[in-house]
Each structure stands twice: as structure tokens, then as C-alpha cells.
Amino acid sequence: KFTKRKRGRTVRLVPIASRSQQSELQPRMKSLPPLPGNQYTTTLRRRAVRKLDEGSTKTINGAQHERSNQSDYGDISLGMKLIVVGGRVIVQSLNSLADGLASPAQLVGVIQRGDVLLAIGSVSLVNLPVDQLMAGLRPLSTPGPGGFYERYLELRFEAGTGHALLKVHEDSQAVKKA
């Protein structure tokens, strides 16, 4: 360990491990296996964690405030319309928030129509019976015990593999309407 004065401050210099030392350290480090090529994870951040009733205001420090992106009250939507087809949860569309702003799903920029939702946090949604599947989806649309929605949701998707199932579903819906 060396110290050196730099711009009037004392800086401690620490030697960095050489490549051979780094390769010896590598097996001790635990890492997650890489995702298959067509899978990705993303974190959605809700703009609000409590719903604000339409047309209402919130009193803060004696003053009336309308909805605000900085507030805990407002549009709790993630901006994804999901559909369950063939036991898989598929992104049917991405929507803006009610106030016209981009939704959390739109802001991350990677989620697209036809992507299959595989997991929410550490809860896998693959090959589950319908009741367990609905329970797994609950964090997306249901507040917790204190009435607050989860602000951050880590989601795992499979890119584009739901297009065929989505098309079959939409075709069957069109036949039913006709």
C-alpha cells in the first residue's frame, strides 16, 4: 500500500491483482448462469405506489396538490396488457399512462408485444396451474397489506416467443365476434 499526494489530498494506492492472480480468484466468485439468448431481465419502476382517485387531490402540509410524478399517489399502472394463452403469460400491448406519459414498460425500452413473461422476481410462472399462475401475477396488479404497490419489479421475459399463441388467440376472438 502506497500513499501519494494528489491535488492536495492524500490518496492510497492499492496494487491490483495480476491476470494470473485474478484467474485464481475467479472460481471462488459465484455468478449466475447466463440467460439463454432469447431471454432477458428488466426492472420496472412504478411512478406511484398508491392509487389516486380520479379528480381528487392530496393534502400535504396543509396545501392541496394534484397528481405528481414525484408523489407516491398517482397512476400505478406498469403499462403492459398481459394475456394468458396456453398457460403462458404474453404481452399483448404496451400502453401509456392515463396522463399521457410513457409507462414504466415503455421506458425500459426492451419489452415488446409477443414477449412471454417467465418470472416476477424469484417466482417462476412457467408450467404453473392457473390458480398458482394468478397468484404469481398478483404483485403486478394488487397492493400489499399496507395498501402500497411494489415500486420496483424485476421481470424475466422470453423475447418474441408468444407471437404465434397471440395470433391464434386473436383469430379465435375474431371468429367468436363474427
Side-chain angles (χ1 to χ4, degrees):
K1 297 176 186 173
F2 304 99
T3 57
K4 180 179 179 183
R5 299 223 22 105
K6 187 173 186 177
R7 294 187 191 150
R9 295 182 295 169
T10 302
V11 179
R12 187 176 70 184
L13 302 174
V14 180
I16 298 174
S18 67
R19 287 190 188 264
S20 62
Q21 289 170 330
Q22 285 178 354
S23 62
E24 291 171 11
L25 296 175
Q26 194 69 20
R28 287 189 236 158
M29 295 175 56
K30 293 208 175 206
S31 63
L32 296 173
L35 293 174
N38 63 338
Q39 292 185 13
Y40 63 93
T41 60
T42 188
T43 301
L44 298 185
R45 180 187 181 277
R46 283 188 210 274
R47 292 181 181 244
V49 291
R50 291 196 106 172
K51 234 179 200 177
L52 182 67
D53 296 330
E54 282 300 315
S56 65
T57 58
K58 175 73 178 154
T59 304
I60 301 173
N61 296 333
Q64 294 287 326
H65 294 278
E66 295 292 327
R67 288 196 255 206
S68 165
N69 290 344
Q70 305 303 320
S71 173
D72 282 348
Y73 290 85
D75 193 339
I76 51 88
S77 173
L78 294 172
M80 290 187 300
K81 183 175 181 184
L82 301 174
I83 187 169
V84 178
V85 180
R88 303 194 79 177
V89 182
I90 303 170
V91 177
Q92 190 172 19
S93 63
L94 298 176
N95 309 314
S96 298
L97 298 178
D99 56 9
L101 295 173
S103 68
Q106 291 171 325
L107 288 173
V108 296
V110 293
I111 304 170
Q112 295 185 7
R113 174 181 159 81
D115 289 357
V116 176
L117 180 59
L118 300 174
I120 300 172
S122 61
V123 178
S124 174
L125 303 176
V126 178
N127 298 325
L128 291 179
V130 174
D131 57 336
Q132 290 177 0
L133 182 63
M134 292 302 143
L137 290 171
R138 196 165 289 129
L140 297 178
S141 60
T142 308
F148 290 90
Y149 292 80
E150 289 185 44
R151 172 125 9 221
Y152 296 97
L153 289 165
E154 184 157 334
L155 306 175
R156 183 174 180 168
F157 288 93
E158 189 172 22
T161 57
H163 284 292
L165 286 172
L166 202 53
K167 175 117 176 77
V168 168
H169 172 75
E170 289 170 349
D171 290 346
S172 70
Q173 293 299 314
V175 169
K176 285 181 185 179
K177 288 181 181 178

